[in-house]
Amino acid sequence: MSGIILHHYDLSPFSEKIRLALGYKGLEWSSVKVEAVPPRPLLNALTGGYRRVPVLQVGADVYCDTEIIFRALERIKPQPSLYPTGEGLSKALSLWWDRSTWKPAIGILVDYIGEHLPPEFLADRKDHYLGYDISKQAMAPMLPAYVQEMCAFAEWLDSMLAENGNYLTGSALSVADLTCYHSLWLLRANCGADAIDKQLFLSRNVINWMDRIAAIGHGHSTEMTPEEALECARTASPILPSIGFKDPTAIAAGTRVAVTPNDNARVPVTGTLVAADAQEIIIRKDTPETGVLHIHFPRAGFETLPVTSSAQSAA
Ligand SMILES: N[C@@H](CCC(=O)N[C@@H](CS)C(=O)NCC(=O)O)C(=O)O
């Protein structure tokens, strides 16, 4: 057994990126299904409160956000690489895509299936995740703008494929492909592939590229309960990767810090800083429920700030 545990739910497109990465690398993994709407108390115990999905766990190491999950998988099995042309281009494309297309994709999605979304789902996404109302009615006035923007971006994908070959950054797949695929996958799976292909003017090149990515599959997984995953964490010790310690803002190892996403679901996770480089932050948390954990976050898209003593005593 590989010890890789993915906390996810079927319809989560960010999770789909990681399921495909696991398939691409031919890794075996354990699948812990979580609810699409919190509470998720056992997952919360592992993440220290980070509320988004997916989360990857390897023993007592917990990885929050797909960017750092990709890095973890690359460490576990370097080949085939998820960064065949280096990290910069594919990570930059990924961050751009995720940040620019999430709201338009949701706007288009709810136009098709919004009436089937339960009120508790809509309330949770507004109050605790995105900060805006994603009901069909609320998103409808901007629908034309969402379609226009997605069409413009899809044409950029087409031009990258025309220039570079089978994948966005060259002849081999990279994280950019998995990321740019995921929101189109969400739309095609829920709204109908034909309807979306027509509405977004997806070219033959883009459709063939999506078919190539879908064919990768999810590798081999076995179901695991959240309780078993928690027990794996409690009985393991974290393994520190050799990333050294480099903080551009001179926050010292051992400082109590809060790490918070800078886009949505802005729940700070507090812990003791144990390692950091320009791409990754690792904090330590120790609770009776979990034992010692190392929780990993990417730098890009997250803020790491020292916890002041007044904030600390309130925590
Ligand atoms: N930047 C994050 C975004 C993750 C994200 O927004 N995931 C969605 C699910 S696809 C989510 O967490 N939605 C709210 C929830 O499930 O609690 C990443 O790359 O992992």
Side-chain angles (χ1 to χ4, degrees), residues 219-281:
H220 184 257
S221 66
T222 320
E223 296 295 314
M224 180 183 262
T225 65
E227 289 77 11
E228 287 168 332
L230 196 67
E231 187 59 11
C232 282
R234 214 182 49 75
T235 52
S237 300
I239 299 171
L240 203 56
S242 54
I243 63 169
F245 196 91
K246 190 169 88 180
D247 185 79
T249 49
I251 304 176
T255 304
R256 196 161 163 72
V257 293
V259 185
T260 316
N262 67 11
D263 52 348
N264 54 43
R266 292 179 51 84
V267 181
V269 180
T270 54
T272 307
L273 186 56
V274 288
D277 67 8
Q279 303 301 326
E280 182 169 2
I281 281 283

Side-chain angles (χ1 to χ4, degrees), residues 9 12-14 36 40 50-54 65-66 125 129:
Y9 53 89
S12 153
F14 284 87
R40 304 168 183 138
Y50 173 80
R51 78 142 277 172
R52 300 188 301 200
V53 171
D65 194 281
T66 52
R125 278 6 186 204
Y129 173 50

Side-chain angles (χ1 to χ4, degrees), residues 1-310:
M1 209 176 90
S2 66
I4 298 172
I5 302 169
L6 184 67
H7 301 257
H8 66 128
Y9 53 89
D10 288 341
L11 280 179
S12 153
F14 284 87
S15 302
E16 181 65 6
K17 298 192 206 186
I18 302 304
R19 293 185 289 252
L20 289 164
L22 289 160
Y24 186 60
K25 284 191 175 282
L27 288 164
E28 296 211 359
W29 52 287
S30 300
S31 163
V32 178
K33 291 284 173 60
V34 302
E35 297 296 333
V37 178
R40 304 168 183 138
L42 300 189
L43 180 56
N44 234 33
L46 290 172
T47 62
Y50 173 80
R51 78 142 277 172
R52 300 188 301 200
V53 171
V55 170
L56 189 90
Q57 176 192 351
V58 183
D61 283 274
V62 177
Y63 299 85
C64 300
D65 194 281
T66 52
E67 196 210 302
I68 208 68
I69 295 176
F70 285 139
R71 194 183 212 206
L73 297 180
E74 193 78 354
R75 271 191 207 125
I76 292 170
K77 189 169 179 207
Q79 295 301 329
S81 174
L82 294 169
Y83 308 105
T85 53
E87 291 192 6
L89 183 58
S90 52
K91 282 187 170 182
L93 281 175
S94 292
L95 193 60
W96 153 69
W97 182 269
D98 278 349
R99 293 279 165 114
S100 314
T101 65
W102 198 212
K103 191 171 189 177
I106 293 171
I108 296 169
L109 177 74
V110 299
D111 180 50
Y112 284 83
I113 62 155
E115 58 274 32
H116 304 299
L117 295 174
E120 60 275 16
F121 178 91
L122 296 173
D124 170 68
R125 278 6 186 204
K126 177 165 180 280
D127 297 339
H128 303 292
Y129 173 50
L130 297 165
Y132 52 85
D133 184 354
I134 62 163
S135 65
K136 179 169 177 163
Q137 193 187 2
M139 299 294 271
M142 290 301 285
L143 180 64
Y146 299 143
V147 174
Q148 291 153 16
E149 192 155 46
M150 286 300 279
C151 278
F153 292 156
E155 200 171 273
W156 292 1
L157 300 184
D158 179 68
S159 101
M160 287 182 237
L161 293 168
E163 202 59 44
N164 295 337
N166 272 354
Y167 296 99
L168 297 177
T169 62
S171 57
L173 175 132
S174 77
V175 298
D177 297 285
L178 299 180
T179 295
C180 297
Y181 169 84
H182 82 102
S183 29
L184 294 173
W185 167 81
L186 175 77
L187 292 176
R188 291 173 102 227
N190 287 286
C191 315
D194 287 347
I196 291 299
D197 295 353
K198 278 202 196 81
Q199 187 174 23
L200 302 184
F201 298 138
L202 297 187
S203 67
R204 183 37 56 196
N205 253 354
V206 169
I207 294 169
N208 290 345
W209 163 79
M210 285 191 289
D211 289 345
R212 276 195 291 282
I213 297 176
I216 293 167
H218 298 158
H220 184 257
S221 66
T222 320
E223 296 295 314
M224 180 183 262
T225 65
E227 289 77 11
E228 287 168 332
L230 196 67
E231 187 59 11
C232 282
R234 214 182 49 75
T235 52
S237 300
I239 299 171
L240 203 56
S242 54
I243 63 169
F245 196 91
K246 190 169 88 180
D247 185 79
T249 49
I251 304 176
T255 304
R256 196 161 163 72
V257 293
V259 185
T260 316
N262 67 11
D263 52 348
N264 54 43
R266 292 179 51 84
V267 181
V269 180
T270 54
T272 307
L273 186 56
V274 288
D277 67 8
Q279 303 301 326
E280 182 169 2
I281 281 283
I282 307 175
I283 63 171
R284 179 183 193 276
K285 249 187 135 55
D286 185 359
T287 67
E289 203 179 3
T290 60
V292 176
L293 299 175
H294 281 179
I295 311 179
H296 304 238
F297 300 92
R299 290 279 198 176
F302 285 77
E303 302 160 351
T304 301
L305 295 171
V307 177
T308 59
S309 46
S310 55

